[in-house]
Amino acid sequence: MKLTRLIKIELTEHLPELQQTVETYTSAFNHVSSVSWNDNDVNGVSLHYKTYQTTRKSLPSQLCCSARNKSVEAVKSVRALQKKENKQAKYEKRDAKVFGCPESKGTSVRYDARSMTMWFDRNEISLLTTAGRLKFNIRVPEYFKRYLSWKKCSADMFVRNGRAFLHIVVEKDVEDIVPNGQLVGIDRGVKRIAVTSDKRFFGGGRVRQVSRRYQRLRSALQKKGHSGKRHFRKVSRRERLFRRDTNHCITKQIVSSLKSGTTIVLEKLTGINKNI
């Protein structure tokens, strides 16, 4: 079994070159997506012949291939969602929602061993950009140093609010966990976020309290119209992150209390958003 983790690093050098690389890479991604969507073609070899000459004018060869592969994955994903939506709409006897061609305003740049070199022993990384190969001095946060000996796979570089970040995917082979025959069922709800079959309850009182506060704030912002939209987005993001953190903490409590090899059984969650 392979265990996968992310090493998150901020890049503080060559920001203009990185921003230009992201913009050019995004244009290539959108171009390939458009051709793939319009031609109903998700074959990588076929799309290579259709799009390579255009994307190669502004991108290094390896990044052209990376953008093409990422576009194919995005189109396949949207096609799969459309197929699922059509099936669900037919079952519910309603009109299906129509998905469009995937398009990005600023996609991350995917790197592999041919476009990225790492020297963690001297805190340096080399990345392929539109300005050629560039070296970066890096500082790995203390928390992620535990993963430096793992196998390096790929990485994604993206720019947000004038700051550049690199997320490196690492993996390690570990022994498969042998089931010990014990089962623990988990029921999810609203009043109680989680209830386990061994009679442990994880309440959602704090979540409901915070959600009501955010709901009142969103209602006030909606009345302000355009002037409150930016604050509205920030509030929605805060609530989303709060819920995610709460769920993560509860999950860790449940898992850490179980013996290795215990099987966790969850209820079927299909359609839960509509039910609550």
Side-chain angles (χ1 to χ4, degrees):
M1 182 176 69
K2 293 186 181 297
L3 200 60
T4 305
R5 291 291 185 270
L6 274 180
I7 298 178
K8 302 178 182 180
I9 298 173
E10 182 174 0
L11 304 175
T12 58
E13 301 172 300
H14 307 296
L15 292 181
E17 290 84 355
L18 293 179
Q19 180 66 51
Q20 180 61 40
T21 301
V22 169
E23 293 174 358
T24 309
Y25 188 92
T26 300
S27 297
F29 170 88
N30 291 334
H31 173 68
V32 178
S33 296
S34 177
V35 173
S36 174
W37 186 268
N38 294 332
D39 293 355
N40 195 22
D41 184 359
V42 291
N43 183 280
V45 177
S46 173
L47 287 172
H48 174 80
Y49 289 107
K50 292 179 181 179
T51 63
Y52 181 77
Q53 294 300 324
T54 300
T55 57
R56 183 65 180 87
K57 293 177 182 178
S58 54
L59 267 183
S61 176
Q62 192 55 42
L63 294 186
C64 289
C65 298
S66 170
R68 184 194 67 237
N69 294 336
K70 196 168 184 178
S71 297
V72 170
E73 292 173 7
V75 172
K76 284 183 177 179
S77 177
V78 174
R79 294 291 188 192
L81 286 174
Q82 184 69 72
K83 184 177 180 180
K84 182 179 179 180
E85 169 64 17
N86 292 340
K87 184 177 179 181
Q88 187 69 21
K90 185 177 179 181
Y91 174 77
E92 297 177 356
K93 297 181 180 180
R94 59 174 174 82
D95 293 333
K97 177 183 176 183
V98 179
F99 293 90
C101 173
E103 184 178 0
S104 175
K105 294 181 179 179
T107 187
S108 59
V109 181
R110 181 181 297 172
Y111 288 96
D112 57 20
R114 287 167 288 186
S115 54
M116 172 184 65
T117 308
M118 292 170 281
W119 302 279
F120 284 123
D121 57 331
R122 61 182 195 234
N123 294 322
E124 284 187 352
I125 285 183
S126 170
L127 298 177
L128 183 61
T129 69
T130 53
R133 277 272 185 172
L134 297 177
K135 283 188 178 181
F136 299 82
N137 294 310
I138 61 171
R139 185 185 67 84
V140 180
E142 194 66 32
Y143 175 83
F144 297 111
K145 289 183 178 180
R146 68 186 76 180
Y147 305 127
L148 295 184
S149 60
W150 292 25
K151 179 183 176 182
K152 286 74 178 177
C153 301
S154 63
D156 285 278
M157 184 272 293
F158 59 94
V159 178
R160 294 289 185 274
N161 300 321
R163 301 172 66 188
F165 300 90
L166 186 70
H167 288 182
I168 305 170
V169 180
V170 295
E171 66 178 21
K172 178 182 180 181
D173 290 323
V174 296
E175 294 183 1
D176 291 340
I177 298 176
V178 180
N180 59 19
Q182 296 183 2
L183 299 175
V184 172
I186 300 178
D187 181 38
R188 297 191 59 188
V190 179
K191 188 174 181 180
R192 301 282 188 179
I193 293 181
V195 178
T196 65
S197 58
D198 55 358
K199 299 181 180 179
R200 285 183 297 152
F201 299 85
F202 299 87
R206 173 62 177 164
V207 175
R208 292 197 302 275
Q209 179 184 356
V210 173
S211 295
R212 284 195 294 267
R213 178 163 58 86
Y214 279 127
Q215 181 60 44
R216 290 193 297 269
L217 182 55
R218 280 199 300 270
S219 298
L221 291 172
Q222 284 178 329
K223 293 178 181 178
K224 292 184 178 181
H226 181 73
S227 62
K229 285 186 177 180
R230 182 178 299 178
H231 194 185
F232 182 89
R233 288 194 294 267
K234 290 182 179 180
V235 168
S236 298
R237 181 175 182 273
R238 287 173 190 162
E239 182 181 9
R240 184 171 65 253
L241 293 177
F242 168 75
R243 287 178 175 273
R244 182 189 300 176
D245 179 68
T246 300
N247 290 335
H248 176 68
C249 292
I250 291 176
T251 301
K252 288 190 67 175
Q253 290 182 50
I254 294 175
V255 173
S256 61
S257 65
L258 302 177
K259 295 181 180 179
S260 178
T262 301
T263 300
I264 297 176
V265 183
L266 291 172
E267 61 180 319
K268 186 176 180 180
L269 301 178
T270 303
I272 188 172
N273 289 335
K274 297 179 181 179
N275 295 333
I276 62 172

mmCIF file of all heavy atoms in Angstrom, residues 112-138:
data_model
loop_
_atom_site.group_PDB
_atom_site.id
_atom_site.type_symbol
_atom_site.label_atom_id
_atom_site.label_comp_id
_atom_site.label_asym_id
_atom_site.label_seq_id
_atom_site.Cartn_x
_atom_site.Cartn_y
_atom_site.Cartn_z
ATOM 1 N N ASP A 112 6.901 17.374 -13.133
ATOM 2 C CA ASP A 112 7.316 15.999 -12.876
ATOM 3 C C ASP A 112 8.843 15.956 -12.857
ATOM 4 O O ASP A 112 9.503 17.000 -12.834
ATOM 5 C CB ASP A 112 6.733 15.033 -13.919
ATOM 6 C CG ASP A 112 7.123 15.412 -15.341
ATOM 7 O OD1 ASP A 112 8.117 16.150 -15.514
ATOM 8 O OD2 ASP A 112 6.437 14.984 -16.288
ATOM 9 N N ALA A 113 9.411 14.758 -12.892
ATOM 10 C CA ALA A 113 10.861 14.610 -12.772
ATOM 11 C C ALA A 113 11.622 15.239 -13.930
ATOM 12 O O ALA A 113 12.803 15.583 -13.792
ATOM 13 C CB ALA A 113 11.213 13.122 -12.661
ATOM 14 N N ARG A 114 10.966 15.432 -15.087
ATOM 15 C CA ARG A 114 11.643 16.006 -16.254
ATOM 16 C C ARG A 114 11.589 17.529 -16.282
ATOM 17 O O ARG A 114 12.284 18.158 -17.074
ATOM 18 C CB ARG A 114 11.027 15.440 -17.537
ATOM 19 C CG ARG A 114 11.399 13.987 -17.799
ATOM 20 C CD ARG A 114 10.548 13.376 -18.874
ATOM 21 N NE ARG A 114 9.176 13.148 -18.409
ATOM 22 C CZ ARG A 114 8.252 12.521 -19.121
ATOM 23 N NH1 ARG A 114 8.521 12.074 -20.324
ATOM 24 N NH2 ARG A 114 7.030 12.360 -18.617
ATOM 25 N N SER A 115 10.751 18.112 -15.438
ATOM 26 C CA SER A 115 10.642 19.573 -15.423
ATOM 27 C C SER A 115 10.960 20.172 -14.056
ATOM 28 O O SER A 115 10.850 21.381 -13.871
ATOM 29 C CB SER A 115 9.227 19.998 -15.842
ATOM 30 O OG SER A 115 8.242 19.365 -15.035
ATOM 31 N N MET A 116 11.391 19.330 -13.117
ATOM 32 C CA MET A 116 11.676 19.801 -11.756
ATOM 33 C C MET A 116 12.788 18.962 -11.152
ATOM 34 O O MET A 116 12.820 17.737 -11.321
ATOM 35 C CB MET A 116 10.409 19.694 -10.897
ATOM 36 C CG MET A 116 10.611 19.961 -9.424
ATOM 37 S SD MET A 116 9.092 19.687 -8.469
ATOM 38 C CE MET A 116 8.876 17.906 -8.697
ATOM 39 N N THR A 117 13.714 19.616 -10.481
ATOM 40 C CA THR A 117 14.795 18.929 -9.773
ATOM 41 C C THR A 117 14.868 19.483 -8.360
ATOM 42 O O THR A 117 14.779 20.695 -8.163
ATOM 43 C CB THR A 117 16.150 19.125 -10.469
ATOM 44 O OG1 THR A 117 16.030 18.770 -11.846
ATOM 45 C CG2 THR A 117 17.214 18.251 -9.825
ATOM 46 N N MET A 118 15.022 18.600 -7.390
ATOM 47 C CA MET A 118 15.033 19.011 -5.983
ATOM 48 C C MET A 118 16.322 18.577 -5.306
ATOM 49 O O MET A 118 16.780 17.450 -5.502
ATOM 50 C CB MET A 118 13.831 18.390 -5.249
ATOM 51 C CG MET A 118 12.497 18.935 -5.682
ATOM 52 S SD MET A 118 11.104 17.992 -5.018
ATOM 53 C CE MET A 118 11.096 16.592 -6.136
ATOM 54 N N TRP A 119 16.916 19.489 -4.536
ATOM 55 C CA TRP A 119 18.086 19.194 -3.704
ATOM 56 C C TRP A 119 17.754 19.635 -2.281
ATOM 57 O O TRP A 119 18.121 20.737 -1.851
ATOM 58 C CB TRP A 119 19.313 19.933 -4.211
ATOM 59 C CG TRP A 119 19.683 19.633 -5.626
ATOM 60 C CD1 TRP A 119 20.379 18.553 -6.093
ATOM 61 C CD2 TRP A 119 19.389 20.443 -6.774
ATOM 62 N NE1 TRP A 119 20.536 18.643 -7.454
ATOM 63 C CE2 TRP A 119 19.941 19.780 -7.901
ATOM 64 C CE3 TRP A 119 18.712 21.647 -6.963
ATOM 65 C CZ2 TRP A 119 19.824 20.303 -9.188
ATOM 66 C CZ3 TRP A 119 18.598 22.159 -8.237
ATOM 67 C CH2 TRP A 119 19.155 21.499 -9.327
ATOM 68 N N PHE A 120 17.069 18.777 -1.541
ATOM 69 C CA PHE A 120 16.667 19.147 -0.189
ATOM 70 C C PHE A 120 17.859 19.219 0.764
ATOM 71 O O PHE A 120 17.781 19.865 1.804
ATOM 72 C CB PHE A 120 15.640 18.156 0.345
ATOM 73 C CG PHE A 120 14.268 18.341 -0.239
ATOM 74 C CD1 PHE A 120 13.618 17.309 -0.900
ATOM 75 C CD2 PHE A 120 13.621 19.566 -0.150
ATOM 76 C CE1 PHE A 120 12.361 17.484 -1.444
ATOM 77 C CE2 PHE A 120 12.365 19.759 -0.693
ATOM 78 C CZ PHE A 120 11.728 18.715 -1.338
ATOM 79 N N ASP A 121 18.970 18.556 0.394
ATOM 80 C CA ASP A 121 20.136 18.611 1.263
ATOM 81 C C ASP A 121 20.778 19.992 1.276
ATOM 82 O O ASP A 121 21.456 20.367 2.233
ATOM 83 C CB ASP A 121 21.164 17.564 0.830
ATOM 84 C CG ASP A 121 21.580 17.729 -0.619
ATOM 85 O OD1 ASP A 121 20.759 18.230 -1.424
ATOM 86 O OD2 ASP A 121 22.711 17.354 -0.959
ATOM 87 N N ARG A 122 20.542 20.782 0.202
ATOM 88 C CA ARG A 122 21.058 22.143 0.174
ATOM 89 C C ARG A 122 19.955 23.189 -0.017
ATOM 90 O O ARG A 122 20.215 24.326 -0.391
ATOM 91 C CB ARG A 122 22.125 22.291 -0.906
ATOM 92 C CG ARG A 122 21.669 22.020 -2.328
ATOM 93 C CD ARG A 122 22.855 22.165 -3.258
ATOM 94 N NE ARG A 122 22.485 22.280 -4.643
ATOM 95 C CZ ARG A 122 22.943 21.508 -5.611
ATOM 96 N NH1 ARG A 122 23.787 20.515 -5.307
ATOM 97 N NH2 ARG A 122 22.597 21.704 -6.866
ATOM 98 N N ASN A 123 18.713 22.739 0.207
ATOM 99 C CA ASN A 123 17.547 23.638 0.177
ATOM 100 C C ASN A 123 17.421 24.397 -1.142
ATOM 101 O O ASN A 123 17.280 25.623 -1.174
ATOM 102 C CB ASN A 123 17.607 24.631 1.342
ATOM 103 C CG ASN A 123 17.476 23.957 2.693
ATOM 104 O OD1 ASN A 123 16.700 23.000 2.845
ATOM 105 N ND2 ASN A 123 18.220 24.417 3.666
ATOM 106 N N GLU A 124 17.447 23.673 -2.241
ATOM 107 C CA GLU A 124 17.299 24.265 -3.565
ATOM 108 C C GLU A 124 16.343 23.447 -4.421
ATOM 109 O O GLU A 124 16.250 22.216 -4.271
ATOM 110 C CB GLU A 124 18.646 24.351 -4.289
ATOM 111 C CG GLU A 124 19.544 25.461 -3.812
ATOM 112 C CD GLU A 124 20.793 25.601 -4.667
ATOM 113 O OE1 GLU A 124 21.026 24.728 -5.541
ATOM 114 O OE2 GLU A 124 21.540 26.578 -4.463
ATOM 115 N N ILE A 125 15.650 24.139 -5.308
ATOM 116 C CA ILE A 125 14.753 23.492 -6.266
ATOM 117 C C ILE A 125 14.929 24.181 -7.612
ATOM 118 O O ILE A 125 15.078 25.404 -7.684
ATOM 119 C CB ILE A 125 13.281 23.583 -5.812
ATOM 120 C CG1 ILE A 125 13.009 22.596 -4.681
ATOM 121 C CG2 ILE A 125 12.319 23.285 -6.960
ATOM 122 C CD1 ILE A 125 11.565 22.572 -4.212
ATOM 123 N N SER A 126 14.905 23.389 -8.669
ATOM 124 C CA SER A 126 14.979 23.923 -10.026
ATOM 125 C C SER A 126 13.663 23.628 -10.734
ATOM 126 O O SER A 126 13.203 22.484 -10.750
ATOM 127 C CB SER A 126 16.145 23.276 -10.786
ATOM 128 O OG SER A 126 16.088 23.615 -12.159
ATOM 129 N N LEU A 127 13.056 24.675 -11.327
ATOM 130 C CA LEU A 127 11.782 24.529 -12.026
ATOM 131 C C LEU A 127 11.894 25.033 -13.447
ATOM 132 O O LEU A 127 12.578 26.024 -13.724
ATOM 133 C CB LEU A 127 10.671 25.313 -11.303
ATOM 134 C CG LEU A 127 10.319 24.902 -9.878
ATOM 135 C CD1 LEU A 127 9.258 25.842 -9.315
ATOM 136 C CD2 LEU A 127 9.845 23.462 -9.820
ATOM 137 N N LEU A 128 11.210 24.377 -14.354
ATOM 138 C CA LEU A 128 11.129 24.814 -15.742
ATOM 139 C C LEU A 128 10.056 25.889 -15.858
ATOM 140 O O LEU A 128 8.917 25.692 -15.424
ATOM 141 C CB LEU A 128 10.794 23.627 -16.645
ATOM 142 C CG LEU A 128 10.742 23.888 -18.148
ATOM 143 C CD1 LEU A 128 12.085 24.368 -18.666
ATOM 144 C CD2 LEU A 128 10.297 22.630 -18.887
ATOM 145 N N THR A 129 10.398 27.028 -16.444
ATOM 146 C CA THR A 129 9.456 28.130 -16.608
ATOM 147 C C THR A 129 9.535 28.655 -18.038
ATOM 148 O O THR A 129 10.342 28.167 -18.846
ATOM 149 C CB THR A 129 9.769 29.294 -15.638
ATOM 150 O OG1 THR A 129 11.003 29.915 -16.035
ATOM 151 C CG2 THR A 129 9.906 28.789 -14.216
ATOM 152 N N THR A 130 8.707 29.637 -18.342
ATOM 153 C CA THR A 130 8.765 30.260 -19.665
ATOM 154 C C THR A 130 10.057 31.033 -19.860
ATOM 155 O O THR A 130 10.425 31.377 -20.984
ATOM 156 C CB THR A 130 7.572 31.214 -19.858
ATOM 157 O OG1 THR A 130 7.527 32.130 -18.759
ATOM 158 C CG2 THR A 130 6.263 30.433 -19.919
ATOM 159 N N ALA A 131 10.765 31.321 -18.769
ATOM 160 C CA ALA A 131 12.060 32.005 -18.842
ATOM 161 C C ALA A 131 13.217 31.020 -18.755
ATOM 162 O O ALA A 131 14.363 31.422 -18.531
ATOM 163 C CB ALA A 131 12.169 33.040 -17.720
ATOM 164 N N GLY A 132 12.942 29.732 -18.931
ATOM 165 C CA GLY A 132 13.971 28.710 -18.832
ATOM 166 C C GLY A 132 14.004 28.074 -17.452
ATOM 167 O O GLY A 132 13.105 28.259 -16.635
ATOM 168 N N ARG A 133 15.071 27.331 -17.203
ATOM 169 C CA ARG A 133 15.247 26.704 -15.890
ATOM 170 C C ARG A 133 15.675 27.746 -14.864
ATOM 171 O O ARG A 133 16.627 28.487 -15.075
ATOM 172 C CB ARG A 133 16.310 25.617 -15.975
ATOM 173 C CG ARG A 133 15.808 24.278 -16.495
ATOM 174 C CD ARG A 133 15.293 23.437 -15.340
ATOM 175 N NE ARG A 133 14.908 22.109 -15.789
ATOM 176 C CZ ARG A 133 14.573 21.124 -14.972
ATOM 177 N NH1 ARG A 133 14.576 21.324 -13.661
ATOM 178 N NH2 ARG A 133 14.216 19.954 -15.433
ATOM 179 N N LEU A 134 14.957 27.790 -13.748
ATOM 180 C CA LEU A 134 15.276 28.733 -12.684
ATOM 181 C C LEU A 134 15.478 27.979 -11.379
ATOM 182 O O LEU A 134 14.745 27.031 -11.079
ATOM 183 C CB LEU A 134 14.164 29.764 -12.516
ATOM 184 C CG LEU A 134 13.887 30.685 -13.708
ATOM 185 C CD1 LEU A 134 12.710 31.600 -13.396
ATOM 186 C CD2 LEU A 134 15.119 31.516 -14.061
ATOM 187 N N LYS A 135 16.470 28.415 -10.601
ATOM 188 C CA LYS A 135 16.727 27.813 -9.291
ATOM 189 C C LYS A 135 16.131 28.685 -8.193
ATOM 190 O O LYS A 135 16.109 29.914 -8.289
ATOM 191 C CB LYS A 135 18.226 27.642 -9.058
ATOM 192 C CG LYS A 135 18.836 26.468 -9.807
ATOM 193 C CD LYS A 135 20.272 26.236 -9.380
ATOM 194 C CE LYS A 135 20.865 25.017 -10.089
ATOM 195 N NZ LYS A 135 22.278 24.767 -9.665
ATOM 196 N N PHE A 136 15.636 28.016 -7.142
ATOM 197 C CA PHE A 136 15.007 28.705 -6.026
ATOM 198 C C PHE A 136 15.619 28.215 -4.727
ATOM 199 O O PHE A 136 15.779 26.993 -4.521
ATOM 200 C CB PHE A 136 13.497 28.427 -6.002
ATOM 201 C CG PHE A 136 12.762 28.879 -7.228
ATOM 202 C CD1 PHE A 136 12.741 28.086 -8.372
ATOM 203 C CD2 PHE A 136 12.089 30.088 -7.246
ATOM 204 C CE1 PHE A 136 12.063 28.489 -9.507
ATOM 205 C CE2 PHE A 136 11.402 30.502 -8.370
ATOM 206 C CZ PHE A 136 11.396 29.708 -9.505
ATOM 207 N N ASN A 137 15.947 29.150 -3.860
ATOM 208 C CA ASN A 137 16.324 28.802 -2.491
ATOM 209 C C ASN A 137 15.036 28.626 -1.692
ATOM 210 O O ASN A 137 14.151 29.487 -1.744
ATOM 211 C CB ASN A 137 17.185 29.899 -1.869
ATOM 212 C CG ASN A 137 18.525 30.024 -2.554
ATOM 213 O OD1 ASN A 137 19.226 29.042 -2.752
ATOM 214 N ND2 ASN A 137 18.886 31.251 -2.935
ATOM 215 N N ILE A 138 14.910 27.536 -0.985
ATOM 216 C CA ILE A 138 13.661 27.221 -0.292
ATOM 217 C C ILE A 138 13.922 26.988 1.192
ATOM 218 O O ILE A 138 15.053 26.734 1.621
ATOM 219 C CB ILE A 138 12.987 25.967 -0.894
ATOM 220 C CG1 ILE A 138 13.918 24.752 -0.746
ATOM 221 C CG2 ILE A 138 12.601 26.205 -2.338
ATOM 222 C CD1 ILE A 138 13.264 23.435 -1.100
#
